[in-house]
Amino acid sequence: MPAKSSYGGTNPADEQAAFEASLAADVNFFDTAEMYSAGASERRLGELAQGKDVVIATKFPPSPRGRAQDQPDALAASLRNLKRTSIDLYQHHFPAPWVDIPALMGLMADAVEAGKIKAVGVSNYSAAQMRTAHQALAQRGIPLASNQVQYSLLHRQPETNGVLDTCRELGISLIAYQPLASGALTGKYLGDSRPSGIRRFRAPFRGSKVHGLQPVVTLLRLIGDHYGKTPGQVALRWLLEQENVVPIPGAKNADQATHNAGALSFSLTPAEIEYLNEATEAWRT
């Protein structure tokens, strides 16, 4: 199970501890982006990963206005930040009307052939945009490896908007970001408790579905008690049980990294998966 890296704004000691705890738990895939902390996340991950046997994924562009032709310069900057000669998975962060997807995939294919990236991914692409990218790469004999989208028990739209089905049809891995729904699925934000910062203004902490959070967490806790696991670990396990889905939980310290890795050490029964599916049906739309 990969780990989400947003290094650049937290305590350096905690960052190192989270990284080392992940490796100790056999988690060696780290995802970041050039945009996170204006490049500081990549630079910090590059420092921590130097000399380590890890797999690194990053994303471009460095700003929301990036265009296809910016890719070569952005890739060069990421390689410098990460202190690497190649990037294991290089992803386009988000589609936009001003980004020509076939042209961009042509540049990505050029980078693969030059040995600068090993696999091509996208992020936040719709089913139709994935097909466009997949077809453009296929003309060069290169697969589209992944699409990174928001997916969790409290955000199940990939099941209904065609993204998950298209990933499975084309052999593309779905990388699920925010797999714990900004911490809501851990159970620490129930009742009057709310997260700090901008998260408190977003779903699932606001809106009509907020009152449905308590029974979901209660079910996660009941299932987790059977395995000696937490609600968050059960929520991550639900994603791991899905075909072709890989969650990327974030970890700001060693405890969080160790907790996330605990989702790898058990399995859910088909009945438990169905209970969770039924309890979160409202979050499919």
Side-chain angles (χ1 to χ4, degrees):
M1 179 174 60
K4 187 79 168 179
S5 168
S6 296
Y7 301 116
T10 55
N11 182 287
D14 284 342
E15 292 168 357
Q16 182 167 354
F19 181 81
E20 292 177 352
S22 296
L23 293 182
D26 292 327
V27 174
N28 71 340
F29 186 121
F30 297 88
D31 176 84
T32 186
E34 189 178 6
M35 185 179 291
Y36 298 162
S37 303
S41 176
E42 284 187 334
R43 290 190 292 274
R44 181 59 171 145
L45 182 57
E47 293 171 0
L48 293 169
Q50 200 156 24
K52 302 291 195 303
D53 183 16
V54 298
V55 176
I56 290 180
T58 192
K59 299 180 286 293
F60 86 99
S63 76
R65 300 300 299 178
R67 297 178 179 272
Q69 58 264 35
D70 300 330
Q71 185 266 1
D73 288 342
L75 174 57
S78 289
L79 288 168
R80 288 194 300 270
N81 287 342
L82 292 164
K83 298 178 172 60
R84 297 171 74 87
T85 57
S86 67
I87 293 171
D88 298 297
L89 176 63
Y90 196 54
Q91 305 155 98
H92 183 220
H93 208 152
F94 36 76
W98 53 85
V99 175
D100 183 318
I101 292 175
L104 174 59
M105 292 304 121
L107 291 169
M108 296 284 252
D110 290 344
V112 171
E113 292 171 355
K116 295 180 180 180
I117 61 178
K118 296 177 182 176
V120 177
V122 295
S123 183
N124 299 303
Y125 271 43
S126 68
Q129 289 163 340
M130 266 198 301
R131 289 187 184 278
T132 299
H134 179 272
Q135 183 178 12
L137 288 170
Q139 292 175 358
R140 301 281 294 272
I142 295 170
L144 177 61
S146 61
N147 186 13
Q148 185 176 146
V149 299
Q150 185 177 356
Y151 187 29
S152 73
L153 280 166
L154 301 185
H155 188 97
R156 294 178 58 189
Q157 284 90 329
E159 300 173 8
T160 58
N161 62 16
V163 167
L164 184 55
D165 287 342
T166 302
C167 281
R168 289 171 175 167
E169 175 193 341
L170 299 178
I172 300 166
S173 295
L174 189 154
I175 301 176
Y177 69 76
Q178 292 188 22
L180 295 175
S182 299
L185 291 167
T186 66
K188 62 183 179 181
Y189 299 123
L190 295 177
D192 295 329
S193 178
R194 290 289 184 274
S196 60
I198 197 170
R199 284 189 300 166
R200 70 183 186 275
F201 300 112
R202 296 175 175 169
F205 305 107
R206 294 178 65 86
S208 60
K209 295 174 183 174
V210 69
H211 301 294
L213 182 56
Q214 175 75 62
V216 173
V217 173
T218 298
L219 177 57
L220 289 168
R221 184 169 286 117
L222 286 171
I223 293 173
D225 286 346
H226 180 69
Y227 299 101
K229 300 296 181 180
T230 68
Q233 288 169 329
V234 176
L236 291 174
R237 188 69 226 179
W238 176 83
L239 283 168
L240 288 165
E241 300 284 0
Q242 311 303 313
E243 178 191 350
N244 222 37
V245 173
V246 181
I248 49 169
K252 294 182 179 179
N253 54 53
D255 287 344
Q256 289 181 2
T258 301
H259 167 271
N260 294 338
L264 299 170
S265 61
F266 72 111
S267 296
L268 298 175
T269 67
E272 290 165 341
I273 293 170
E274 186 57 29
Y275 293 149
L276 290 168
N277 288 345
E278 292 176 357
T280 58
E281 181 69 23
W283 280 274
R284 296 185 78 230
T285 59

